[in-house]
Amino acid sequence: CYISSFKFSLGNNITFYDYVTYNFDYSDVFFEIEGVKYSITSLCYNYYSVAINSSLYSVGNYNYTIYANDSSVPDNWAVPVNGNFINY
């Protein structure tokens, strides 16, 4: 399993988009900001999105991580994608 691309947009919602490639059926994809996990929605085959209300976060710099796992072997986690964003 591999997280191959990622982008986000800021506004009233902070919306994150990612593309995940699996060896087999996916098992789990989730998104985390500063230790808080959010459910991520499948838009269509391999594309995922999560929209988070920006008012939940005060102005500042935040770290995020995207995790993905497929069912080829137990705990076959992709290398997490880490980054940060600034909430205005």
Side-chain angles (χ1 to χ4, degrees):
C1 158
Y2 179 70
I3 302 168
S4 58
S5 66
F6 174 77
K7 67 179 182 174
F8 68 91
S9 63
L10 297 172
N12 291 334
N13 283 325
I14 307 164
T15 306
F16 296 86
Y17 304 93
D18 64 297
Y19 182 81
V20 180
T21 304
Y22 301 102
N23 296 331
F24 296 91
D25 292 335
Y26 84 93
S27 175
D28 198 12
V29 178
F30 68 90
F31 185 83
E32 182 179 278
I33 298 176
E34 300 289 333
V36 177
K37 293 179 183 174
Y38 292 92
S39 297
I40 197 163
T41 302
S42 176
L43 299 175
C44 62
Y45 183 76
N46 290 10
Y47 288 94
Y48 295 85
S49 176
V50 60
I52 300 162
N53 187 326
S54 61
S55 68
L56 296 173
Y57 293 92
S58 59
V59 172
N61 192 13
Y62 294 92
N63 296 312
Y64 63 81
T65 305
I66 301 170
Y67 299 92
N69 183 17
D70 68 28
S71 62
S72 62
V73 295
D75 295 323
N76 187 33
W77 290 96
V79 175
V81 171
N82 297 299
N84 62 59
F85 66 93
I86 299 171
N87 192 26
Y88 297 77

